[in-house]
Amino acid sequence: MTLKERDKKHLWHPLTQHKLHPEAIAITKAKGCLLYDEDGHEYIDAIASWYTCMYGHCNTHITDRVHAQMLQLDQVVFSGFTHSPAVELSEALMKILPDNQNKIFFSDNGSTSVEIGIKMALQFHFNNGNKRHILIAFEDGFHGDTFGAMSVSGLSVYNGPFQDFSLEVKRIPPPNGENNASVLSTLHTLIKTNNVAGFIYEPLVQGAAAMKMHDAQGLNGILNLCKTHNIITIADEVMTGFGKTGAYFASDHMETKPDIICLSKALTGGLLPMALTTCTEDIFKAFYSDQISKGLFHGHTYSANPLACTAALASIELLQSETIQQNITRIIESHKTFNAYIKTHPKVKSTRQIGVIFALDLNIEMKRYGNLRDKLFKFFLDRGVFLRPLGNTIYIQAPYVISDNQLKTIYKVIEEALNSI
């Protein structure tokens, strides 16, 4: 019996309607930018397995370091204990995070890092004797699948059945360069008429909203207005962090920095699950008290797992290396060349790019998980490329180690798909 046949007996896959999609592709091996299935097919991983394996699958710089750490210390509770991988990781992060960040709180996944960021914002005001309960978020944002993260997300396809159980959230449109003034005006009105605790946002790129991109200057204006009214700003950099936008963090593109940053995905180079919520010293001080009740009572069994910390530390070393930085520049320029060529295709409605993230919209209306989207997904796989369209948006976010030939293959397959529609 094959793996995919055995899979059907007990496994429930994420974001999957199993009656419509009863089979999963069984991947048996991965290396660099390639995935291999049990039938001997290989696929270029053009989305770095949901933006995690940015240094390539099974990168030996990471795996060798984690193997050595496994023989020294595998796991220890992080409440009341500490260890070298966590301390070293914190020191390395402070060298690349925005200058105002000073404290790091560990968790296990991106959604949970957002939960913690929301808790920090709400409890910050509570601890300071000024209880606030309203959160502001962008329209069409996505921040995760746990309840707080769902509350601030605006995509009902994910959280429709649970809307009656949500935190109270007000939404504003992302600034696009033309609507900046009206967005600020809307935000100002919301602040005047609501007791706003925090503003959470995906900086510059809304990933699940089909790589929808917004204006850095407009976002900077929003952050400035929030600062003026002591509204805690939370940057969800789970997707954008660690080089994707051409800078270490998308927040580096704005002059005004967030109070809190949520990180995961590429943090460990895709090897192990881990997340971080970082914050300023001012946020931390609101929890620093003789009163136990003012502490942040949130914890995970595997917080700051030594193996995950080691993977993250090795990944940051790679990110800062001359080779990876040159690769990022190479990919950016390659996307620009492809964009100049493909944007005039009759089936292309629009294109956009920031850093290594490239997206194009088809001039065909289609459902997010509809038949045409599924046909495109299969079309790409049949030609050896793993791309995962979001509705009528095709996007690329490949590992930093991808070769020029592999990029050309991705571009070629996308053009073939456009010609076939």
Side-chain angles (χ1 to χ4, degrees):
M1 188 180 291
T2 64
L3 277 177
K4 60 185 176 185
E5 290 171 336
R6 292 162 60 194
D7 172 279
K8 293 179 189 178
K9 294 183 67 176
H10 304 297
L11 297 182
W12 190 342
H13 291 266
L15 302 180
T16 301
Q17 174 47 266
H18 279 260
K19 188 170 184 180
L20 299 176
H21 302 282
E23 286 195 347
I25 297 169
I27 300 299
T28 58
K29 185 175 67 171
K31 185 64 179 176
C33 293
L34 297 177
L35 303 171
Y36 302 86
D37 72 13
E38 67 178 339
D39 297 318
H41 302 124
E42 66 178 46
Y43 310 93
I44 299 172
D45 189 353
I47 64 166
S49 290
W50 261 344
Y51 338 131
T52 58
C53 300
M54 297 308 296
Y55 313 101
H57 292 274
C58 300
N59 187 301
T60 54
H61 181 78
I62 304 173
T63 58
D64 287 351
R65 293 276 291 278
V66 172
H67 176 256
Q69 181 60 45
M70 289 172 69
L71 305 177
Q72 179 72 27
L73 175 64
D74 52 357
Q75 164 65 8
V76 65
V77 64
F78 204 59
S79 178
F81 289 92
T82 192
H83 49 76
S84 181
V87 173
E88 290 180 21
L89 176 57
S90 71
E91 293 167 345
L93 279 164
M94 288 307 154
K95 293 177 181 177
I96 62 172
L97 281 167
D99 290 343
N100 68 336
Q101 300 297 293
N102 198 48
K103 294 292 182 181
I104 296 171
F105 196 96
F106 287 93
S107 61
D108 296 349
N109 62 78
S111 182
T112 306
S113 74
V114 169
E115 295 287 325
I116 294 162
I118 291 170
K119 282 186 172 183
M120 285 179 175
L122 294 172
Q123 192 174 343
F124 172 87
H125 295 291
F126 184 89
N127 283 0
N128 285 326
N130 181 25
K131 185 177 179 180
R132 302 186 186 187
H133 68 285
I134 303 292
L135 295 166
I136 292 177
F138 280 144
E139 296 171 355
D140 295 330
F142 178 74
H143 299 282
D145 298 320
T146 49
F147 269 86
M150 278 195 304
S151 295
V152 293
S153 298
L155 294 171
S156 60
V157 66
Y158 292 107
N159 58 10
F162 312 105
Q163 287 180 341
D164 291 343
F165 309 99
S166 296
L167 299 169
E168 191 167 352
V169 179
K170 306 293 182 182
R171 303 195 186 281
I172 60 174
N176 59 24
E178 297 179 358
N179 68 349
N180 291 3
S182 64
V183 171
L184 274 181
S185 177
T186 300
L187 177 59
H188 192 267
T189 300
L190 286 174
I191 292 171
K192 283 175 61 179
T193 56
N194 293 276
N195 201 8
V196 179
F199 165 58
I200 185 166
Y201 60 101
E202 296 162 273
L204 302 186
V205 189
Q206 293 180 289
M211 300 299 163
K212 184 178 178 181
M213 299 179 188
H214 50 270
D215 182 61
Q217 185 176 352
L219 178 54
N220 200 72
I222 292 171
L223 298 178
N224 282 333
L225 185 57
C226 288
K227 298 279 187 183
T228 301
H229 293 275
N230 198 29
I231 294 168
I232 303 304
T233 53
I234 308 167
D236 178 354
E237 294 233 26
V238 169
M239 190 273 286
T240 54
F242 302 103
K244 314 263 184 51
T245 64
Y248 286 147
F249 302 97
S251 295
D252 293 333
H253 294 278
M254 275 70 67
E255 181 180 350
T256 303
K257 307 305 180 187
D259 301 299
I260 295 169
I261 301 177
C262 307
L263 300 166
S264 189
K265 290 196 181 289
L267 170 64
T268 64
L271 190 67
L272 291 164
M274 188 169 74
L276 305 172
T277 308
T278 74
C279 68
T280 65
E281 187 68 20
D282 284 344
I283 297 292
F284 179 75
K285 284 180 179 177
F287 296 78
Y288 190 76
S289 171
D290 291 327
Q291 300 177 48
I292 294 176
S293 61
K294 285 193 173 183
L296 180 60
F297 278 83
H298 189 112
H300 294 262
T301 302
Y302 283 92
S303 291
N305 170 258
L307 307 182
C309 287
T310 300
L313 188 58
S315 296
I316 290 171
E317 291 169 359
L318 287 172
L319 176 65
Q320 293 177 288
S321 70
E322 184 178 350
T323 298
I324 292 298
Q325 287 300 310
Q326 288 176 347
N327 282 355
I328 289 172
T329 300
R330 175 177 56 84
I331 295 167
I332 290 171
E333 293 306 313
S334 182
H335 285 348
K336 287 179 180 178
T337 300
F338 176 60
N339 178 60
Y341 170 73
I342 205 68
K343 67 181 181 181
T344 58
H345 193 285
K347 296 293 177 61
V348 174
K349 180 181 179 181
S350 60
T351 62
R352 54 196 173 277
Q353 178 187 355
I354 182 170
V356 302
I357 304 169
F358 174 81
L360 65 81
D361 295 329
L362 304 174
N363 60 8
I364 301 170
E365 292 301 319
M366 50 195 282
K367 293 181 180 179
R368 187 178 186 89
Y369 294 111
N371 289 335
L372 182 53
R373 179 266 176 198
D374 293 342
K375 289 179 181 177
L376 282 172
F377 180 69
K378 184 177 186 304
F379 184 97
F380 295 137
L381 286 178
D382 286 347
R383 286 153 183 80
V385 175
F386 173 36
L387 286 166
R388 202 169 184 276
L390 290 166
N392 69 342
T393 300
I394 299 170
Y395 70 92
I396 306 167
Q397 195 176 140
Y400 300 140
V401 296
I402 194 166
S403 70
D404 289 336
N405 284 336
Q406 288 170 329
L407 278 171
K408 288 176 182 177
T409 299
I410 295 169
Y411 300 150
K412 179 183 176 184
V413 169
I414 290 174
E415 184 178 10
E416 289 175 355
L418 296 178
N419 294 335
S420 72
I421 297 174

